[in-house]
Amino acid sequence: MRFLIITGVSGAGKSLVVKYLEDLGFFCVDNLPPVLIPKFAEICVQSRGKINKIALVIDIRGGELFNALFPELNALKEAGLSYEILFLEASDKVLIKRFKESRRIHPLAPEGRLIKGINQERELLSEIKRIATYIVDTSNLTPRQLKEEISNIFVEGKKFDGMIINIISFGFKYGIPIDCDLVFDVRFIPNPYYIDSMKRQTGKNDAVREYVLGFNETIVFLSKLYDMLEFLLPSYVKEGKSQLVVGIGCTGGRHRSVAISEALYAHLSGKEHRVVIEHRDIEKDSRGAKK
């Protein structure tokens, strides 16, 4: 029997994960009071295999009842039942954005500032996070990518111990992405925008890519960028960092930053880290652009 406890910060995507696990054949219960965990587990055992994949969402919505979680988990161990814990995480900036967009109230800040509720929740969840079997940071994951991550863990058995690297191309004229950990300015590379045949294309087009990547400055820059990341990534992982956001910026975010980001994505893909790419501004200023 696979017995899973789902927890984590509010707004990190627990509801989505429940849907994905249900699709994978898990029997899911949301917001179960911890005191009912042993009894529920007993019922599942007595089903004699009819209920063999269980996922329980237990978080701070239970209020004071949440404090009973650790004693009840100990009761499971004493009964000889093993369990796993999936902890969902997200950055403060992303959580605030999600709450404002959904117009939801944080359960620990019904009348106060969101950030106070978020900080208080992190403190309350710190111990359960410390013993979690899996920690998934959803800050920069799309619903599709989160579904893939859940499938990797609970279907293919891949416990991902590396880092999720998010590569974001952007235009400086639209501002630097607020969640970037590292930002690289590639405006030193000659701009294809001023060549009529490339002006309306993007860095994903072969002609633009070959133009941008063909300069000696670009070749040297990419070589040094690869070397720096190969040096940094193991140290980030060692210090417990699970996600890295790398911003590549040019003027408008359509040509140079896109081509460089695609090159970096190709270089990092297939290695021990999971790589996600996003071209934030590629469709801006696209009047007359070829699709």
Side-chain angles (χ1 to χ4, degrees):
M1 183 174 69
R2 192 163 196 179
F3 202 90
L4 176 66
I5 304 295
I6 304 171
T7 190
V9 295
S10 302
K14 294 188 289 290
S15 297
L16 278 177
V17 167
V18 166
K19 293 179 182 178
Y20 301 150
L21 288 172
E22 285 177 342
D23 291 342
L24 296 176
F26 276 78
F27 185 92
C28 300
V29 180
D30 189 17
N31 202 17
L32 184 76
V35 293
L36 296 180
I37 291 176
K39 185 61 178 178
F40 187 82
E42 180 184 341
I43 294 172
C44 294
V45 170
Q46 292 174 353
S47 74
R48 297 182 179 181
K50 293 181 180 179
I51 305 176
N52 58 9
K53 293 195 294 185
I54 302 98
L56 308 179
V57 180
I58 299 174
D59 53 33
I60 52 89
R61 287 175 296 167
E64 292 296 326
L65 295 175
F66 182 76
N67 295 330
L69 178 57
F70 285 100
E72 301 306 336
L73 291 179
N74 289 333
L76 283 183
K77 284 185 178 180
E78 292 173 359
L81 295 175
S82 61
Y83 59 85
E84 300 168 284
I85 299 174
L86 170 63
F87 190 97
L88 298 178
E89 174 67 281
S91 69
D92 289 351
K93 291 178 180 178
V94 169
L95 292 175
I96 290 171
K97 182 174 182 289
R98 289 175 181 173
F99 270 102
K100 288 187 175 182
E101 287 178 347
S102 65
R103 299 185 180 180
R104 291 175 53 210
I105 297 174
H106 193 284
L108 295 182
E111 298 178 357
R113 293 179 59 203
L114 265 175
I115 190 62
K116 289 185 177 180
I118 291 170
N119 290 337
Q120 183 181 352
E121 184 177 32
R122 289 194 189 283
E123 184 175 349
L124 291 172
L125 295 174
S126 60
E127 184 62 20
I128 193 69
K129 181 180 180 180
R130 185 185 65 80
I131 65 170
T133 315
Y134 315 101
I135 299 176
V136 176
D137 190 325
T138 69
S139 300
N140 293 287
L141 296 182
T142 65
R144 180 187 63 79
Q145 291 163 348
L146 177 56
K147 184 176 183 179
E148 179 183 350
E149 183 72 12
I150 295 303
S151 178
N152 284 336
I153 295 173
F154 296 103
V155 175
E156 300 179 25
K158 298 177 182 177
K159 184 178 178 182
F160 182 61
D161 294 319
M163 176 183 291
I164 297 175
I165 303 173
N166 295 85
I167 302 170
I168 303 177
S169 71
F170 69 92
F172 277 98
K173 65 190 291 185
Y174 302 111
I176 299 173
I178 61 174
D179 55 345
C180 282
D181 297 299
L182 302 173
V183 175
F184 297 95
D185 184 347
V186 297
R187 288 176 291 185
F188 65 89
I189 301 170
N191 195 348
Y193 177 84
Y194 296 107
I195 299 176
D196 288 340
S197 62
M198 301 182 190
K199 182 175 183 178
R200 293 178 177 83
Q201 296 177 347
T202 75
K204 299 183 75 172
N205 178 270
D206 289 343
V208 175
R209 183 174 61 252
E210 291 172 5
Y211 177 84
V212 172
L213 300 183
F215 291 98
N216 184 63
E217 298 97 317
T218 307
I219 295 171
V220 174
F221 169 75
L222 284 174
S223 176
K224 293 182 180 296
L225 177 60
Y226 298 159
D227 286 345
M228 183 176 68
L229 289 176
E230 287 176 9
F231 168 76
L232 289 174
L233 291 176
S235 297
Y236 284 145
V237 172
K238 183 179 179 181
E239 290 301 312
K241 191 172 182 61
S242 61
Q243 195 158 25
L244 180 72
V245 183
V246 181
I248 308 291
C250 62
T251 303
R254 281 178 54 82
H255 297 97
R256 294 167 291 181
S257 63
V258 172
I260 296 295
S261 294
E262 289 285 343
L264 180 59
Y265 176 80
H267 177 77
L268 294 175
S269 295
K271 299 184 179 181
E272 66 268 31
H273 305 291
R274 193 156 297 149
V275 189
V276 179
I277 190 168
E278 174 189 351
H279 300 302
R280 190 192 71 176
D281 302 324
I282 194 171
E283 295 300 329
K284 294 178 180 176
D285 285 349
S286 59
R287 293 183 297 274
K290 296 180 180 179
K291 302 294 186 184

Coordinates of all heavy atoms in Angstrom, one line a residue, residues 83-122:
Y83 N 4.9 5.5 5.2 CA 4.3 6.6 4.5 C 5.3 7.5 3.8 O 6.5 7.5 4.2 CB 3.4 7.5 5.4 CG 4.2 8.1 6.6 CD1 4.8 9.3 6.4 CD2 4.3 7.4 7.8 CE1 5.6 9.9 7.5 CE2 5.0 8.0 8.9 CZ 5.7 9.2 8.7 OH 6.4 9.7 9.7
E84 N 4.9 8.3 2.9 CA 5.7 9.3 2.2 C 5.1 10.7 2.4 O 3.9 10.8 2.6 CB 5.8 9.0 0.7 CG 6.4 7.7 0.4 CD 6.2 7.3 -1.1 OE1 5.1 6.9 -1.5 OE2 7.2 7.4 -1.8
I85 N 5.9 11.7 2.4 CA 5.4 13.1 2.5 C 5.8 13.9 1.3 O 7.0 14.0 0.9 CB 6.0 13.8 3.7 CG1 5.5 13.0 5.0 CG2 5.5 15.2 3.8 CD1 6.1 13.5 6.3
L86 N 4.8 14.5 0.6 CA 5.1 15.4 -0.5 C 4.8 16.8 -0.1 O 3.7 17.1 0.3 CB 4.1 15.0 -1.7 CG 4.1 16.0 -2.9 CD1 5.5 16.1 -3.6 CD2 3.0 15.7 -3.9
F87 N 5.9 17.6 -0.1 CA 5.8 19.0 0.3 C 5.8 19.9 -0.9 O 6.8 19.9 -1.7 CB 6.9 19.3 1.3 CG 6.7 20.7 2.0 CD1 6.2 20.7 3.3 CD2 7.1 21.9 1.4 CE1 6.0 22.0 3.9 CE2 6.9 23.1 2.0 CZ 6.4 23.1 3.3
L88 N 4.8 20.8 -1.0 CA 4.8 21.7 -2.1 C 5.2 23.1 -1.7 O 4.7 23.6 -0.7 CB 3.4 21.8 -2.8 CG 2.9 20.5 -3.4 CD1 1.5 20.6 -3.9 CD2 3.8 20.0 -4.5
E89 N 6.1 23.7 -2.4 CA 6.7 25.0 -2.0 C 6.6 26.0 -3.2 O 6.3 25.6 -4.3 CB 8.2 24.7 -1.8 CG 9.1 25.9 -1.5 CD 8.7 26.6 -0.2 OE1 7.7 27.3 -0.2 OE2 9.4 26.4 0.8
A90 N 6.7 27.2 -2.9 CA 6.7 28.3 -3.9 C 7.3 29.5 -3.2 O 7.3 29.7 -2.0 CB 5.3 28.6 -4.5
S91 N 7.8 30.4 -4.1 CA 8.5 31.7 -3.5 C 7.4 32.6 -3.0 O 6.2 32.6 -3.4 CB 9.3 32.3 -4.6 OG 8.4 32.9 -5.6
D92 N 7.8 33.5 -2.1 CA 6.9 34.5 -1.6 C 6.2 35.4 -2.7 O 5.0 35.6 -2.7 CB 7.6 35.5 -0.6 CG 8.0 34.8 0.7 OD1 7.5 33.6 0.9 OD2 8.7 35.4 1.5
K93 N 7.0 35.8 -3.7 CA 6.5 36.6 -4.8 C 5.4 35.9 -5.6 O 4.4 36.5 -5.9 CB 7.7 37.1 -5.7 CG 8.6 38.1 -5.0 CD 9.7 38.5 -6.0 CE 10.7 39.4 -5.3 NZ 11.8 39.8 -6.2
V94 N 5.7 34.6 -5.9 CA 4.7 33.9 -6.6 C 3.5 33.6 -5.8 O 2.4 33.7 -6.4 CB 5.4 32.5 -7.1 CG1 4.3 31.6 -7.6 CG2 6.4 32.8 -8.1
L95 N 3.6 33.3 -4.5 CA 2.4 33.1 -3.7 C 1.6 34.3 -3.6 O 0.3 34.3 -3.7 CB 2.9 32.6 -2.3 CG 3.5 31.3 -2.2 CD1 4.0 31.0 -0.8 CD2 2.6 30.2 -2.6
I96 N 2.2 35.5 -3.4 CA 1.4 36.7 -3.3 C 0.7 37.0 -4.6 O -0.5 37.4 -4.7 CB 2.4 37.9 -3.0 CG1 2.9 37.8 -1.5 CG2 1.7 39.2 -3.2 CD1 3.9 38.7 -1.2
K97 N 1.4 36.8 -5.8 CA 0.8 37.0 -7.1 C -0.4 36.0 -7.3 O -1.5 36.4 -7.7 CB 1.8 36.7 -8.2 CG 1.3 36.9 -9.6 CD 2.5 36.8 -10.6 CE 2.1 37.1 -12.0 NZ 1.2 36.0 -12.5
R98 N -0.3 34.8 -6.9 CA -1.4 33.8 -7.0 C -2.6 34.2 -6.2 O -3.7 34.1 -6.6 CB -0.9 32.4 -6.7 CG 0.1 31.8 -7.7 CD 0.6 30.5 -7.3 NE 1.6 29.9 -8.3 CZ 2.3 28.8 -8.1 NH1 2.2 28.2 -6.9 NH2 3.1 28.4 -9.0
F99 N -2.3 34.6 -4.9 CA -3.4 35.0 -4.0 C -4.2 36.2 -4.6 O -5.4 36.3 -4.5 CB -2.9 35.2 -2.6 CG -2.9 34.0 -1.7 CD1 -1.7 33.3 -1.5 CD2 -4.1 33.5 -1.2 CE1 -1.7 32.2 -0.7 CE2 -4.1 32.4 -0.4 CZ -2.9 31.7 -0.1
K100 N -3.4 37.2 -5.1 CA -4.1 38.4 -5.6 C -4.9 38.1 -6.9 O -6.0 38.6 -7.1 CB -3.0 39.4 -5.9 CG -2.4 40.0 -4.6 CD -1.5 41.2 -4.8 CE -1.1 41.8 -3.5 NZ -0.2 43.0 -3.7
E101 N -4.3 37.2 -7.7 CA -5.0 36.9 -8.9 C -6.3 36.1 -8.7 O -7.3 36.3 -9.3 CB -4.1 36.1 -9.9 CG -3.0 36.9 -10.5 CD -2.1 36.1 -11.4 OE1 -2.2 34.9 -11.3 OE2 -1.3 36.7 -12.2
S102 N -6.3 35.2 -7.7 CA -7.4 34.4 -7.4 C -8.4 35.1 -6.4 O -9.5 34.6 -6.2 CB -7.0 33.0 -6.8 OG -6.3 33.3 -5.5
R103 N -7.9 36.2 -5.8 CA -8.7 37.0 -4.8 C -9.0 36.1 -3.6 O -10.1 36.3 -2.9 CB -10.0 37.5 -5.5 CG -9.7 38.5 -6.6 CD -10.9 39.1 -7.1 NE -10.6 40.1 -8.2 CZ -11.5 40.8 -8.9 NH1 -12.8 40.7 -8.6 NH2 -11.1 41.6 -9.9
R104 N -8.2 35.1 -3.3 CA -8.4 34.3 -2.1 C -7.8 35.0 -0.9 O -6.9 35.8 -1.0 CB -7.8 32.9 -2.3 CG -8.5 32.1 -3.4 CD -7.7 30.8 -3.6 NE -7.5 30.1 -2.3 CZ -6.4 29.3 -2.1 NH1 -5.5 29.1 -3.0 NH2 -6.3 28.7 -0.9
I105 N -8.2 34.6 0.3 CA -7.7 35.1 1.5 C -6.8 34.0 2.1 O -7.1 32.8 2.1 CB -8.8 35.4 2.5 CG1 -9.7 36.5 2.0 CG2 -8.2 35.8 3.9 CD1 -10.9 36.9 2.8
H106 N -5.6 34.4 2.5 CA -4.7 33.4 3.1 C -5.3 33.0 4.5 O -5.8 33.8 5.3 CB -3.3 34.1 3.4 CG -2.3 33.1 3.7 ND1 -2.2 32.5 5.0 CD2 -1.3 32.5 3.0 CE1 -1.1 31.6 5.0 NE2 -0.6 31.6 3.8
P107 N -5.3 31.7 4.7 CA -5.9 31.2 6.0 C -5.4 31.7 7.2 O -6.1 31.7 8.3 CB -5.7 29.6 5.9 CG -4.7 29.4 4.8 CD -4.8 30.6 3.9
L108 N -4.1 32.2 7.2 CA -3.5 32.7 8.4 C -3.5 34.2 8.4 O -2.9 34.9 9.3 CB -2.1 32.2 8.6 CG -2.0 30.7 8.9 CD1 -0.5 30.3 9.1 CD2 -2.8 30.3 10.1
A109 N -4.1 34.9 7.4 CA -4.1 36.3 7.3 C -5.4 36.8 6.8 O -5.5 37.5 5.8 CB -3.0 36.8 6.5
P110 N -6.5 36.4 7.5 CA -7.9 36.8 7.0 C -8.1 38.3 6.9 O -8.9 38.8 6.1 CB -8.8 36.2 8.0 CG -8.0 36.0 9.2 CD -6.6 35.7 8.7
E111 N -7.4 39.1 7.8 CA -7.6 40.5 7.8 C -6.2 41.3 7.7 O -6.2 42.5 7.7 CB -8.3 40.9 9.1 CG -9.7 40.4 9.2 CD -10.3 40.7 10.5 OE1 -9.7 41.4 11.4 OE2 -11.5 40.4 10.7
G112 N -5.1 40.5 7.7 CA -3.8 41.2 7.7 C -3.1 41.1 6.4 O -3.7 40.7 5.4
R113 N -1.8 41.4 6.3 CA -1.1 41.4 5.1 C -0.7 39.9 4.7 O -0.5 39.1 5.6 CB 0.2 42.2 5.3 CG 0.0 43.7 5.5 CD 1.4 44.3 5.7 NE 2.3 44.1 4.5 CZ 3.6 44.2 4.6 NH1 4.2 44.5 5.7 NH2 4.3 43.9 3.5
L114 N -0.8 39.7 3.4 CA -0.5 38.3 2.9 C 0.9 37.8 3.4 O 1.0 36.7 3.8 CB -0.5 38.4 1.4 CG -1.8 38.0 0.7 CD1 -1.7 38.2 -0.8 CD2 -2.2 36.5 1.0
I115 N 1.9 38.7 3.3 CA 3.2 38.2 3.6 C 3.4 37.7 5.0 O 4.1 36.8 5.3 CB 4.3 39.3 3.3 CG1 5.7 38.8 3.4 CG2 4.1 40.5 4.2 CD1 6.0 37.7 2.4
K116 N 2.6 38.3 6.0 CA 2.6 37.9 7.4 C 2.1 36.5 7.5 O 2.6 35.7 8.2 CB 1.9 38.9 8.2 CG 2.6 40.2 8.4 CD 1.8 41.1 9.4 CE 2.6 42.4 9.6 NZ 1.9 43.3 10.6
G117 N 1.0 36.2 6.8 CA 0.4 34.9 6.8 C 1.3 33.9 6.2 O 1.4 32.8 6.7
I118 N 2.0 34.3 5.1 CA 2.9 33.3 4.4 C 4.1 33.0 5.3 O 4.5 31.8 5.5 CB 3.4 34.0 3.1 CG1 2.2 34.0 2.1 CG2 4.6 33.2 2.5 CD1 2.6 34.8 0.8
N119 N 4.6 34.0 6.0 CA 5.8 33.8 6.9 C 5.4 32.9 8.1 O 6.2 32.0 8.5 CB 6.3 35.1 7.4 CG 7.0 35.9 6.3 OD1 7.5 35.3 5.3 ND2 7.1 37.2 6.4
Q120 N 4.2 33.2 8.6 CA 3.7 32.4 9.8 C 3.5 30.9 9.4 O 3.9 30.0 10.1 CB 2.4 33.0 10.3 CG 1.9 32.3 11.6 CD 0.6 32.8 12.1 OE1 0.2 33.9 11.6 NE2 0.0 32.2 13.1
E121 N 3.0 30.7 8.1 CA 2.8 29.4 7.7 C 4.1 28.7 7.5 O 4.2 27.5 7.8 CB 1.9 29.4 6.4 CG 1.6 28.0 5.9 CD 0.7 28.1 4.6 OE1 0.9 29.0 3.8 OE2 -0.1 27.2 4.4
R122 N 5.1 29.3 6.9 CA 6.4 28.7 6.7 C 7.0 28.2 8.0 O 7.6 27.1 8.1 CB 7.3 29.7 6.0 CG 7.0 30.0 4.5 CD 8.1 30.6 3.8 NE 7.8 31.1 2.5 CZ 7.7 30.3 1.4 NH1 7.9 29.0 1.6 NH2 7.4 30.9 0.3

